[in-house]
């Protein structure tokens, strides 16, 4: 395909809330390496095949340096949290990135998650109590999906419960590039930064059993630890990376499972399927957002197409996750699918640091809903569910349910 | 079956521990994989294969003939 050909607009417009755009299947089979035009007007190369996406995400030549002068800009005004100074404070690649990851990673092990599970169950049960008290119908996104991940992250960071709702607001402003004005975003970012500086000072004076305290007591860079500014930004980054993603996924997962109620009934009959059902929801999420952009710093080949140095590639994990060559009956939701090596959390050295946490949260929410509200159902026809099209993460505007 | 893990590749995602806790663990200090059973018993093979298949860093190799 030549560069002059009419390029597809990306993101590909799609009205269906839970189903993929028809173009994906065609791109995978006929044009797995294709030119697209981004909202900024810049050109990029879209990848939709499982093998290609997996390989590129794990290949360090495909960097995250989207600030390179010839890298494609994603949005028209070039703004967004990922291009702000935050991204420059946490090392982005190589050994320094690995070092950072391992320092923070100790808080995200499977063992830690199992230890956090009882507290998460309590949070989920309390939120469901409130929802039930307010009565049906209810928006599951607002009552459960949105608050739960913030509360969990606050607990991990050692943020007092009284401050959770402010955290929630800050996170929302930092990510919702369209809903808030520039001034509002700047004020929120300033407040959040100030709050986190104060939190570092408090934890230094009185360390607790939390991630912020642990990062502080590990010592500064001279002791192999992190600097104060890195600690602060890590705290902010964890909130931003883990909130909207998980909140939206809760809404999408529950919607997918209720869209065909036999799925819900199957889980009621056999809750042992919760783990694989969560993985299958992650795989089938057709509305996961933009995908992952990468900037290529050396010429290479993908699926027989030569990509010159300086190419900006967009990996669509959601399209790759429905690749028939990687998954049997890829378009079907199979609650027992195993193994399920989907790419919803990326792949390779940068794959989601919080994936054990996200998985645990999704399992806890699903288990709590099945246990507490077995009669749960969507309060509107599936066709009426509406997407929110954020730049970073996709989700549903509302998830109306009754029970 | 013989299991080989590559600590340098491991990104600490913990998938292996969630799926086959008898065979894999993670170091407390940085979350990197620890192999508890390099030659797991037959009843664990399915879980170990699943763990190797879903490891996001491709850090788990299996020698099925060993
Ligand atoms: C369902 C929920 C989630 C999804 C779908 C998701 C998805 C992703 C993806 C695709 C990446 C890879 C980015 C890249 O390769 O450039 C990533 C990275 C990351 N995620 Fe998540 N995530 C989720 C939840 C979380 C949670 C709960 C946390 C932590 C509180 C978190 C923290 C991170 C961090 C810190 C990174 C950067 C890792 C690095 O650069 O090494 N995520 N996430
Ligand atoms: S699943 Fe892979 S990356 Fe994750 S801890 Fe195990 S070996 Fe490491």
């Amino acid at each position: 395909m030549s560069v002059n050909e009419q390029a597809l607009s990306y993101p590909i417009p799609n009205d269906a809330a839970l189903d993929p755009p028809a173009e994906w299947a065609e791109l995978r089979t006929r044009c797995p390496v294709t030119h697209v035009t981004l909202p900024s007007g810049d050109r990029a190369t879209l990848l939709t095949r499982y093998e290609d996406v997996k390989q590129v995400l794990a290949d360090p030549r495909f960097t995250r340096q989207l600030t390179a002068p010839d890298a494609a800009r994603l949005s028209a005004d070039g703004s967004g949290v990922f291009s702000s100074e935050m991204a420059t404070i946490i090392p982005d690649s190589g050994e320094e990135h690995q070092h950072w990851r391992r320092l923070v990673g100790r808080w995200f092990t499977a063992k830690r998650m199992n230890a956090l599970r009882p507290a998460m169950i309590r949070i989920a049960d309390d939120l469901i109590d409130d929802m039930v008290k307010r009565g049906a119908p209810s928006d599951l996104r607002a009552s459960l999906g949105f608050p739960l991940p913030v509360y969990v992250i606050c607990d991990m960071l050692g943020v007092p419960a009284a401050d959770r709702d402010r955290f929630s607001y800050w996170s929302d402003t930092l990510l919702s590039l369209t809903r808030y004005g520039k001034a509002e975003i700047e004020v929120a970012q300033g407040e959040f930064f100030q709050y986190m500086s104060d939190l570092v000072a408090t934890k230094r004076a009185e360390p607790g059993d939390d991630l912020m305290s642990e990062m502080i007591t590990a010592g500064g860079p001279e002791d192999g630890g992190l600097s104060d500014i890195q600690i602060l930004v890590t705290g902010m980054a964890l909130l931003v990376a883990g909130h909207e993603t998980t909140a939206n996924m809760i809404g999408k997962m529950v919607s997918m499972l209720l869209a065909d109620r036999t799925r819900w009934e199957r889980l009621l009959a056999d809750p042992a399927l919760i783990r694989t059902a969560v993985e299958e929801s992650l795989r089938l999420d057709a509305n996961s957002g933009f995908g992952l952009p990468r900037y290529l710093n050396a010429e290479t080949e993908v699926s027989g197409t030569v990509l010159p140095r300086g190419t900006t590639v967009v990996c669509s994990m959601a399209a790759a996750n429905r690749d028939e060559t990687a998954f049997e009956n890829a378009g079907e939701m199979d609650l027992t699918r195993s193994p399920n090596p989907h790419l919803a959390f990326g792949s390779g050295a940068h794959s989601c640091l919080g994936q054990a946490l996200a998985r645990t949260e999704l399992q806890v929410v699903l288990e709590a809903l099945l246990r507490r509200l077995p009669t749960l159902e969507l309060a509107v026809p599936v066709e009426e569910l509406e997407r929110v099209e954020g730049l970073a993460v996709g989700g549903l505007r509302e998830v109306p349910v009754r029970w | 079956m013989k299991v080989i893990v590559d600590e340098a590749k491991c990104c600490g995602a913990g998938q292996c521990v969630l799926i086959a806790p008898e065979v894999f663990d993670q170091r407390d200090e940085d979350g990197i994989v620890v192999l508890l059973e390099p030659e797991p018993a037959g009843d664990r093979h399915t879980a170990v294969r699943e763990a190797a298949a879903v490891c996001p860093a491709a850090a788990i190799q299996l020698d099925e003939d060993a």
Side-chain angles (χ1 to χ4, degrees):
Chain A
M1 179 166 163
S2 86
V3 190
N4 296 328
E5 250 175 88
Q6 179 69 40
L8 195 68
S9 291
Y10 190 85
I12 301 171
N14 184 13
D15 289 334
L18 303 178
D19 295 321
E23 286 89 343
W24 283 358
E26 203 169 309
L27 288 171
R28 275 192 308 259
T29 45
R30 298 231 304 251
C31 205
V33 182
T34 192
H35 292 290
V36 291
T37 306
L38 303 179
S40 63
D42 287 354
R43 286 293 183 91
T45 298
L46 175 69
L47 303 180
T48 47
R49 268 190 195 162
Y50 182 84
E51 278 312 319
D52 296 345
V53 168
K54 187 169 170 147
Q55 176 209 321
V56 161
L57 289 179
D59 182 340
R61 291 173 304 175
F62 290 87
T63 71
R64 295 199 292 183
Q65 260 88 60
L66 291 157
T67 46
D70 59 342
R73 293 158 304 148
L74 307 185
S75 65
D77 61 359
S79 68
V81 270
F82 301 113
S83 59
S84 73
E85 68 245 64
M86 228 149 105
T88 62
I89 291 167
I90 299 175
D92 194 56
S93 59
E95 269 175 40
E96 289 180 330
H97 167 258
Q98 195 178 53
H99 180 70
W100 171 81
R101 225 177 126 123
R102 292 186 172 189
L103 280 175
V104 185
R106 73 173 75 165
W107 273 83
F108 289 89
T109 61
K111 233 183 291 169
R112 284 265 185 198
M113 293 311 132
N114 283 332
L116 283 175
R117 195 180 272 263
M120 288 188 212
I121 295 174
R122 249 185 332 268
I123 291 174
D125 275 329
D126 288 348
L127 289 169
I128 294 173
D129 282 343
D130 291 344
M131 180 168 107
V132 168
K133 244 181 261 155
R134 285 191 303 270
S138 179
D139 174 15
L140 188 98
R141 173 189 158 86
S143 350
L144 185 60
F146 203 72
L148 181 120
V150 185
Y151 292 5
V152 172
I153 270 284
C154 285
D155 274 4
M156 277 182 93
L157 293 176
V159 170
D163 297 335
R164 286 164 167 180
D165 292 324
R166 290 165 76 199
F167 253 68
S168 196
Y169 168 74
W170 290 326
S171 169
D172 197 30
T173 25
L174 292 185
L175 272 178
S176 307
L177 303 171
T178 45
R179 208 173 330 151
Y180 299 89
K182 216 177 165 94
E184 228 171 333
I185 294 176
E186 269 162 25
V187 171
Q189 209 156 0
E191 283 174 0
F192 188 19
F193 196 86
Q194 187 57 49
Y195 182 91
M196 292 303 282
S197 314
D198 296 346
L199 187 67
V200 172
T202 314
K203 297 291 173 189
R204 188 178 292 287
E206 246 180 275
D209 182 23
D210 54 68
L211 174 53
M212 295 298 280
S213 302
E214 179 122 343
M215 287 193 283
I216 292 165
T217 46
E222 63 290 351
D223 308 311
L226 300 173
S227 66
D228 272 14
I229 182 78
Q230 283 178 321
I231 292 172
L232 187 158
V233 170
T234 298
M236 292 172 78
L238 291 177
L239 174 70
V240 168
H243 182 203
E244 197 107 340
T245 42
T246 314
N248 281 322
M249 197 57 225
I250 290 171
K252 289 180 286 188
M253 170 181 75
V254 174
S255 302
M256 280 188 262
L257 294 171
L258 292 176
D260 172 352
R261 223 169 164 289
T262 61
R263 295 172 184 152
W264 191 257
E265 275 146 29
R266 176 109 198 256
L267 288 170
L268 285 171
D270 188 0
L273 296 179
I274 287 174
R275 183 178 75 84
T276 45
V278 164
E279 298 305 318
E280 186 68 343
S281 309
L282 286 159
R283 183 184 73 84
L284 272 187
D285 174 14
N287 178 12
S288 67
F290 191 83
L292 291 174
R294 291 288 195 262
Y295 172 77
L296 181 55
N297 69 13
E299 183 182 290
T300 189
E301 216 185 278
V302 174
S303 268
T305 303
V306 174
L307 298 179
R309 180 198 157 92
T311 303
T312 300
V313 166
V314 177
C315 293
S316 172
M317 293 92 79
N321 280 339
R322 288 169 177 259
D323 188 336
E324 292 283 348
T325 64
F327 299 96
E328 223 171 287
N329 297 322
E332 307 276 301
M333 187 167 210
D334 172 0
L335 301 181
T336 66
R337 193 182 294 275
S338 165
N340 191 343
H342 64 75
L343 302 173
F345 293 113
S347 177
H350 287 280
S351 83
C352 182
L353 172 73
Q355 54 187 287
L357 175 61
R359 289 188 155 102
T360 311
E361 289 175 300
L362 291 167
Q363 290 168 12
V364 162
V365 164
L366 186 50
E367 183 279 324
L369 285 173
L370 288 163
R371 172 168 48 81
R372 301 284 309 278
L373 306 174
T375 58
L376 195 71
E377 59 182 5
L378 286 175
V380 296
V382 186
E383 303 76 48
E384 284 177 27
L385 294 175
E386 269 182 75
R387 301 184 159 220
V388 261
E389 217 76 63
L391 184 61
V393 265
L396 300 171
R397 198 174 293 281
E398 273 186 20
V399 182
V401 291
R402 57 178 173 238
W403 53 88
Chain B
M1 175 193 273
K2 221 185 206 136
V3 185
I4 302 140
V5 295
D6 185 340
E7 288 186 15
K9 273 191 180 173
C10 171
C11 65
Q15 270 282 73
C16 53
V17 189
L18 290 170
I19 294 165
E22 308 86 359
V23 180
F24 304 98
D25 199 356
Q26 284 169 287
R27 290 201 296 248
D28 285 334
E29 64 275 21
D30 55 11
I32 297 307
V33 62
V34 177
L35 187 57
L36 302 175
E37 280 194 44
E39 294 181 39
D43 59 341
R44 302 200 166 138
H45 288 188
T46 311
V48 172
R49 280 188 204 110
E50 181 182 351
V54 300
C55 168
I60 303 171
Q61 299 300 322
L62 301 184
D63 184 349
E64 293 274 1
D65 305 324

